[in-house]
Amino acid sequence: QKPSILIPYPHAAANHQQHNASAVSEAGAAIMIIESESLDEEIRIALEKMLKDVKFATEMGQKWQAIQPKVEPAVCSRSWLF
């Protein structure tokens, strides 16, 4: 699996996207970024970290693969890989 950045939709019902993204992020399987005025900068910082620290990015992908069966199917099916 690839490393992931998750940006939950802030207006989702019952804030479910943020709860799901938070669980994945806390497991070390993704970086969660909350939408804000500094979103572009936060994305740049996260991408730089993943590109500069190959071990970090590889481990993140491995952790995602390990938790994927436990994550809501909707989270996995709507993930975009770049």
Side-chain angles (χ1 to χ4, degrees):
Q1 282 291 359
K2 307 285 185 200
S4 303
I5 297 173
L6 303 177
I7 305 169
Y9 178 63
H11 306 290
N15 208 21
H16 73 279
Q17 287 194 3
Q18 185 170 341
H19 292 294
N20 291 338
S22 180
V24 174
S25 177
E26 288 173 12
I31 295 173
M32 180 179 75
I33 299 175
I34 301 298
E35 217 174 294
S36 69
E37 288 184 19
S38 61
L39 181 62
D40 292 346
E41 180 67 9
E42 292 182 53
I43 292 171
R44 184 190 65 74
I45 291 167
L47 287 172
E48 277 185 5
K49 176 151 180 67
M50 289 190 286
L51 292 171
K52 288 181 179 179
D53 190 343
V54 176
K55 182 179 178 191
F56 170 76
T58 301
E59 288 174 354
M60 185 187 297
Q62 291 169 344
K63 289 175 183 176
W64 176 260
Q65 192 169 18
I67 68 163
Q68 196 167 359
K70 301 171 192 163
V71 176
E72 262 186 56
V75 174
C76 297
S77 67
R78 292 190 182 117
S79 297
W80 297 316
L81 299 176
F82 295 97

